[in-house]
Amino acid sequence: MAKRVSHRDSMCGVARPLDAIGDWWSLLIVRDAFDGLRRFGEFQKSLGLAKNILSARLRNLLAHGIMETVPAADGSAYQEYVLTEKGRGLFPLLVALRQWGEDFFFEPDEAHVLLVDRKNGLPVRRLELRAQDGRVVGAEDTMVRLPQASHENGSA
Amino acid sequence: MAKRVSHRDSMCGVARPLDAIGDWWSLLIVRDAFDGLRRFGEFQKSLGLAKNILSARLRNLLAHGIMETVPAADGSAYQEYVLTEKGRGLFPLLVALRQWGEDFFFEPDEAHVLLVDRKNGLPVRRLELRAQDGRVVGAEDTMVRLPQASHENGSA
DNA sequence: CTCGAATGGTTTTAATTTGAAACCATCCTG
DNA sequence: CAGGATGGTTTCAAATTAAAACCATTCGAG
C-alpha cells in the first residue's frame, strides 16, 4: 500500500501524509464522511467507484487511523465508517482544496456548491495563514527550517 | 491522464482539483517548486522518481496551468519550470497538509521541519477557517449549499 | 420460519499506470 | 570538437486499478 519512499528513509512532513491520503479516492471518501455518509453502500453510490477499490481505500483509511468502524447506528448489525479525530483533522485541507478549486476550476459565472456557516448560511471566509504577530503571510513570506541541523537550508 | 469521472458529468469542487493534483508526486513537485527548485534535474534529484514519471507529471502540471516553462534564468538554453498564479494558489493546501502531517504523523518528540515566518523566524500560526463574523468554525459548524437548486441538501 | 432482496464485501481477470533502465538528442565546457 | 552534463523518450516488467462476477450475511415481508 505504501509507495516506496523517495530516496530518503524518513519522509518529510508533506510526503508522510500523502502516503495515507495521496490518492484520488481517499479524500473524496473523507469529504463524503464529513457530509455525513457512513455506510459502505452510501460511499459507493456517491462516488461511483468499484466496490473492491472502495474496500481497499476504506481498509487503508482504517489502517491509518483516519476512519474507524462503529458497531451500528440504526440498530442493524451492519457496521459504519466514521472519521476519527485524525480524520476530522483533514477539514482545513479539504477547505483549502475546495477554495482552490473554486478559484481556478470554475468559470466566473459557473454555479458551484458553497461552504456556508451553519448558523446563518453565509459563505465562510477564505483560509488565511497568519504569522505569530497576526500578519497574513503568503508563500513568499515563509520558509521551512530544518529541525535542529546546523545545515544552512533545504527542502524536506 | 484524467481519471474517469465518477458517474456524474460535472465534477464537484473537490473532485475537480484532484484531477489535476490528485497523485502522489504532483504535490511534492509543487512543494519543491515553492522551495525554489526550477530545473528538471533538481526535481528529479530531490524527489528520487523516475525521469519518465517526472516528465509525465510536469507535462500534466503544465497542461493544467499549474506550472509553466520559462526560457532561462542563468542564460543557458535550457528551460525551467515555475509555478503559475494557479500553482501558487496551492500554498494554503500545502500548509494544511503539512500541519496535518505535523499533528498526526510525527511523534511528539520527533524533530520535523518547521514553516516559519521569514521576517523573524517564528513558526507560523495554525490555519483557521473563519465565518464572515470572524468566528473560527470547524467542520461541524459548516455545511455545503447547492448552487441554486431547490433541492434540500446533498454532497457534491 | 422461510424466502427474496438488500447489504457488504471478495475473487477473478483485463486494462491502465508506474517504475527502472537503457537509450538518445541537445547543450555547455574545455 | 570531444566529453560530460542536462533533459528528456522508449522499452519492457511489475504493480495498481477497474469491471464484473461471485458469495456470505442480514434485513424485511409473509
Side-chain angles (χ1 to χ4, degrees), chain A residues 4-9 11 15, chain B residues 24-25 28 46-49:
Chain A
R4 295 222 6 263
V5 166
S6 61
H7 92 300
R8 259 206 165 287
D9 193 53
M11 299 163 78
Chain B
W24 218 80
W25 293 117
L28 291 176
S46 165
L47 298 173
L49 43 34

Side-chain angles (χ1 to χ4, degrees), chain B residues 1 25 50-53 57 75-78:
Chain B
M1 194 68 67
W25 293 117
K51 297 203 288 182
N52 54 347
I53 304 298
R57 289 296 167 274
S76 80
Y78 293 120

Side-chain angles (χ1 to χ4, degrees), chain A residues 25 50 52-53 57 76-78:
Chain A
W25 293 117
N52 55 348
I53 304 299
R57 288 297 168 273
S76 78
Y78 293 120

Side-chain angles (χ1 to χ4, degrees), chain B residues 28-44:
Chain B
L28 291 176
I29 293 170
V30 169
R31 184 213 41 162
D32 274 356
F34 272 117
D35 282 352
L37 272 55
R38 304 167 68 98
R39 298 280 285 252
F40 187 95
E42 288 180 314
F43 292 113
Q44 208 231 327

Side-chain angles (χ1 to χ4, degrees), chain A:
Chain A
M1 194 67 68
K3 295 276 210 303
R4 295 222 6 263
V5 166
S6 61
H7 92 300
R8 259 206 165 287
D9 193 53
S10 123
M11 299 163 78
C12 81
V14 170
R16 218 179 276 204
L18 285 176
D19 192 48
I21 49 146
D23 69 286
W24 217 79
W25 293 117
S26 296
L27 265 187
L28 291 176
I29 294 171
V30 170
R31 184 212 44 163
D32 275 357
F34 272 117
D35 282 353
L37 272 55
R38 304 166 69 96
R39 299 280 284 255
F40 187 95
E42 290 181 312
F43 291 114
Q44 207 230 328
K45 185 149 55 70
S46 165
L47 298 173
L49 42 33
K51 297 203 288 183
N52 55 348
I53 304 299
L54 176 57
S55 183
R57 288 297 168 273
L58 286 173
R59 214 180 351 257
N60 187 45
L61 291 170
L62 294 175
H64 277 91
I66 293 167
M67 302 188 81
E68 63 187 341
T69 52
V70 297
D74 56 345
S76 78
Y78 293 120
Q79 64 181 355
E80 297 183 339
Y81 297 88
V82 299
L83 293 168
T84 62
E85 190 202 342
K86 181 174 180 178
R88 289 190 297 276
L90 282 168
F91 182 66
L93 193 151
L94 276 173
V95 173
L97 187 61
R98 183 187 296 277
Q99 292 187 344
W100 185 65
E102 289 167 359
D103 289 344
F104 295 102
F105 286 85
F106 287 86
E107 299 303 318
D109 60 339
E110 192 178 359
H112 58 268
V113 300
L114 225 49
L115 189 67
V116 299
D117 188 346
R118 202 180 276 278
K119 300 264 188 201
N120 52 26
L122 293 174
V124 299
R125 284 194 196 167
R126 176 148 280 280
L127 273 181
E128 281 170 345
L129 181 66
R130 291 179 184 272
Q132 292 292 355
D133 56 25
R135 282 168 24 247
V136 175
V137 288
E140 61 289 351
D141 304 312
T142 67
M143 54 182 287
V144 291
R145 198 172 49 187
L146 292 178
Q148 74 283 7
S150 51
H151 261 68
E152 60 206 297
N153 196 324
S155 53

